[in-house]
Amino acid sequence: MIEGVWAAVPVKEFAGAKQRLASLLTPAQRQVLAAVMLEDVLAALVAAPLAGVMVNTLDPMAQALARRYGARIVTDDARGGHSGAVAAMAAIMAAEGVTGMLTCPGDIPAITAAEVAAVLDAHGAAPAFTIVAAHDARGSNAILLTPPDAMALRFGDDSFLPHLDAARVHGLTPCIGRADGIALDLDNPEDVRAFMAAPQARGTRAWGLLTEFLDAMR
């Protein structure tokens, strides 16, 4: 297993979070959900065999959660979108000589420490690139890079295949991992339905909260 890897979690400000879930949840509910999902992610990451966890955010609640879990907080390009925030963390880690960066979003609450360990196990000798796709095989829900700045990352709804192409351009043979929990992000109502039906989602804080919210609507 590769050692010395830090997690990098970009977190947008919770105000106005998850607008594509507006047909299911109120703005207040979406903010609470964003915070609860982040807590699920942080709990898994700090239990995983990682050297540390870095959170890039300006949101006060997200920063409070990060401190609670012993994560390092940075704000470099925190409003530069997912890609900009990750690039800033990669630059910090590379400058500090960190071995590798495992970046994942704060909205994959079914992630587990065991899945993170499996990604670390599957990773090859540096320079190397490992990726876990979203459940729709379009998004990139986890990427491990050694070194942290081995290549630029560009996130979005259809970033998985472009990331594979970019890795090859940089001379990196992509290692494609599979992790059912990491694959479950929550961006739209279809994602929520898939998440609520997934066995690995049960027991997460997000699953409990969504159960409460959805039951109240019936």
Side-chain angles (χ1 to χ4, degrees), residues 13-170:
E13 288 156 278
F14 291 153
K18 294 297 171 185
Q19 295 187 22
R20 284 184 282 179
L21 296 179
S23 62
L24 287 180
L25 304 173
T26 67
Q29 288 174 328
R30 298 198 303 273
Q31 288 188 48
V32 174
L33 176 62
V36 167
M37 289 193 296
L38 176 60
E39 185 166 7
D40 278 327
V41 170
L42 291 175
L45 293 175
V46 300
L50 293 164
V53 178
M54 181 181 291
V55 176
N56 192 343
T57 188
L58 288 166
D59 187 90
M61 187 180 298
Q63 290 183 348
L65 281 170
R67 282 191 291 270
R68 185 188 306 172
Y69 283 89
R72 177 181 174 183
I73 301 166
V74 299
T75 59
D76 302 43
D77 208 14
R79 289 185 174 140
H82 192 128
S83 299
V86 170
M89 289 187 282
I92 292 169
M93 292 183 192
E96 295 178 357
V98 171
T99 299
M101 176 183 73
L102 172 69
T103 185
C104 62
D107 66 348
I108 51 171
I111 185 177
T112 66
E115 288 182 335
V116 173
V119 172
L120 297 175
D121 278 337
H123 196 67
F129 168 93
T130 300
I131 188 168
V132 180
H135 66 97
D136 60 5
R138 294 174 57 196
S140 307
N141 280 12
I143 294 178
L144 173 55
L145 282 177
T146 52
D149 58 351
M151 59 176 276
L153 301 176
R154 297 287 182 267
F155 293 91
D157 288 340
D158 295 290
S159 65
F160 177 65
L161 292 178
H163 273 140
L164 296 183
D165 291 339
R168 295 184 182 105
V169 167
H170 284 78

